[in-house]
Amino acid sequence: MSQSARRRRLDVLDTSSFHPRYVVWELTLACDHACTHCGSRAGVARDTELTTAQALAVVDELAAMGAGEVVLIGGEAYLHEGFLDIVRALAARSITPVMTTGGRALDAALARAMREAGLERVSVSIDGLEATHDLMRARRGSFADGMRALAACREAGLGVSANTNLNRLNAPDLEALYETLRDAGVRSWQVQLTAPLGRAADRPDLLLQPYDLLALLPRIAALKTRGLQEGLLLMPGNNLGYFGPEEGLLRSQRPEDGDHFGGCQAGRYVMGIESDGAVKGCPSLQTASYVGGHATRASLRSIWEDAPELAFTRARTRADLSGFCAECPYADTCLGGCSFTAHSFFGRPGNDPYCHFRALHHARRGLRERLVATDPASGRPFDHGLFELVVEPLDAPEPAAPAREALVKIGRRPRRAERRREHA
């Protein structure tokens, strides 16, 4: 469908039912980690990040738009000078403030200060057992810091959860990581797939292949069942799952609910805000293609209501999909899976290769899909390269894989080079 046709469809669409219930807000790109899979290539603050006063004005706008929950991220959110002031302002406006963190400097004193400011929950990123996590996060001691952060937050009375990016490096750790998190008192765990966004785009061998889902999804479903019995709720991120036999179990908080993926919610009930005030429909969407405006130049409401870059999912139909997704029997419900994941592979949404149903469909025919990197990423935050999809026999020889350490070294760019590209 042409861009002009999409705009005509949006012009007649009733958008009154859509509002940003769930907002993910990158307070700063400054970070005390330099993770090898970071989608935003975080490390150094942007030159034009929102001041505390500007951020507090954004809080007022979010409240006026009916935001229910705001997740503060980075970089590392606590590195913003107004972090606690922003938490207080959100809580004062009856918006639930929560946080996702790497936890390096999140000690008992900071955890207490966050709780006193009104923060309700903290999700700590734990991406494998100690050796794997430290390798992915490019810093020895990172795992210990993350586990200490979990303990500090729990002792301060904050709700604690964990999140994990799954890839070929850490997939072998899955069951042992579950037990580690369970024993640490984690009661909620989100797992999602590492997509080729940002630094992960520089390391294509780190990524899972679509056919890896054939073995991975049953393992995750088994852990979901264990967790329901043992008090740890495992939930999939938006780019994991899709209409395999375990879909109802994976998507549901209770086994009897039978939930399923309902399509990308970017720009429908989700908003992402970058640290310079750039507004997107989802925090992981590619900056170059999905920023609809800046909070310092226009109101959040006008960006939300008028920018086509945020409204693209509101009018999406099967006609907007491509490849396998366009012909899938679940197309009218799923609408092509996760937008940022599909775009990170193919430069457009609507054809997500990370789909369990799709992998099973090919496997029943003795086939599999394999992703092959063709064009590199630019080196800017939230960038992507391009991949092509090869269909081959299911039992084709597995391409030679690099050694474990090489998975995170391939394509490594110094942060100084990333900084130059960001301001190019």
Side-chain angles (χ1 to χ4, degrees):
M1 179 174 292
S2 68
Q3 183 69 12
S4 61
R6 286 194 183 90
R7 287 182 181 274
R8 286 195 298 272
R9 187 196 296 165
L10 291 169
D11 287 340
V12 300
L13 182 68
D14 178 11
T15 62
S16 59
S17 63
F18 302 124
H19 74 280
R21 297 175 186 168
Y22 182 79
V23 180
V24 183
W25 186 356
E26 172 200 274
L27 289 187
T28 179
L29 204 59
C31 195
D32 47 20
H33 277 95
C35 301
T36 57
H37 61 297
C38 179
S40 65
R41 301 182 182 271
V44 181
R46 304 176 196 267
D47 287 338
T48 55
E49 294 192 338
L50 298 182
T51 65
T52 300
Q54 289 172 323
L56 294 177
V58 167
V59 172
D60 290 339
E61 291 193 75
L62 290 173
M65 295 179 70
E69 180 170 294
V70 171
V71 185
L72 301 174
I73 65 168
E76 202 40 274
Y78 57 64
L79 294 178
H80 189 285
E81 63 178 6
F83 168 59
L84 293 176
D85 291 329
I86 295 163
V87 172
R88 291 186 193 97
L90 289 166
R93 300 302 300 267
S94 300
I95 301 172
T96 301
V98 300
M99 177 188 186
T100 298
T101 178
R104 180 174 180 177
L106 209 173
D107 57 13
L110 179 56
R112 286 194 298 271
M114 296 188 321
R115 184 72 184 99
E116 291 168 1
L119 199 77
E120 295 201 9
R121 300 191 307 276
V122 175
S123 179
V124 180
S125 300
I126 306 291
D127 285 313
L129 299 178
E130 184 168 14
T132 307
H133 176 98
D134 286 0
L135 184 60
M136 282 182 59
R137 296 199 163 249
R139 194 182 67 81
R140 187 172 297 171
S142 176
F143 179 84
D145 289 342
M147 297 303 290
R148 186 193 71 236
L150 282 170
C153 290
R154 188 175 61 251
E155 290 167 7
L158 290 159
V160 295
S161 60
N163 62 87
T164 300
N165 256 274
L166 290 176
N167 49 61
R168 285 197 158 188
L169 186 66
N170 62 12
D173 291 356
L174 190 60
E175 286 78 10
L177 180 58
Y178 165 88
E179 294 176 356
T180 297
L181 296 174
R182 179 202 60 196
D183 294 346
V186 171
R187 293 294 172 258
S188 178
W189 182 26
Q190 184 188 73
V191 292
Q192 61 185 15
L193 303 181
T194 302
L197 189 72
R199 293 191 189 115
D202 303 337
R203 298 164 176 84
D205 287 320
L206 181 67
L207 306 173
L208 291 163
Q209 288 290 345
Y211 52 84
D212 290 326
L213 302 182
L214 297 170
L216 180 64
L217 267 294
R219 292 171 61 199
I220 295 174
L223 290 178
K224 177 66 175 276
T225 299
R226 281 186 65 183
L228 290 171
Q229 298 167 351
E230 298 174 357
L232 197 169
L233 179 63
L234 185 157
M235 291 297 290
N238 289 328
N239 71 351
L240 175 66
Y242 309 148
F243 300 101
E246 298 90 357
E247 176 74 0
L249 171 65
L250 288 174
R251 295 276 165 210
S252 303
Q253 295 196 23
R254 301 178 304 175
E256 62 270 22
D257 288 345
D259 293 333
H260 58 76
F261 183 72
C264 175
Q265 299 301 303
R268 295 169 63 87
Y269 304 108
V270 177
M271 175 191 285
I273 306 175
E274 295 185 358
S275 60
D276 59 356
V279 181
K280 305 184 288 188
C282 163
S284 297
L285 284 169
Q286 289 75 5
T287 301
S289 300
Y290 295 100
V291 169
H294 286 72
T296 55
R297 304 171 198 163
S299 71
L300 289 186
R301 186 178 296 277
S302 66
I303 296 170
W304 178 266
E305 293 179 351
D306 300 335
E309 292 87 352
L310 272 73
F312 70 100
T313 66
R314 300 172 198 169
R316 179 183 279 177
T317 69
R318 182 189 289 262
D320 298 303
L321 311 183
S322 61
F324 181 92
C325 289
E327 304 300 325
C328 176
Y330 297 105
D332 294 318
T333 299
C334 181
L335 292 172
C338 175
S339 295
F340 97 83
T341 299
H343 197 118
S344 67
F345 282 112
F346 306 127
R348 56 166 292 182
N351 185 23
D352 187 348
Y354 279 163
C355 168
H356 195 201
F357 172 80
R358 179 173 179 161
L360 289 166
H361 172 88
H362 286 293
R364 285 192 291 268
R365 289 155 179 77
L367 301 172
R368 71 185 191 188
E369 293 180 311
R370 181 163 55 88
L371 293 156
V372 179
T374 58
D375 297 355
S378 66
R380 295 183 175 89
F382 298 105
D383 63 344
H384 66 95
L386 288 174
F387 288 70
E388 65 178 14
L389 206 54
V390 176
V391 180
E392 60 190 12
L394 182 61
D395 60 356
E398 185 74 13
R404 173 183 169 90
E405 289 74 14
L407 287 174
V408 296
K409 292 180 180 177
I410 291 171
R412 176 172 288 171
R413 290 187 175 98
R415 285 201 290 176
R416 183 179 301 172
E418 292 180 356
R419 181 70 169 167
R420 287 198 299 269
R421 286 176 173 84
E422 182 184 346
H423 295 291

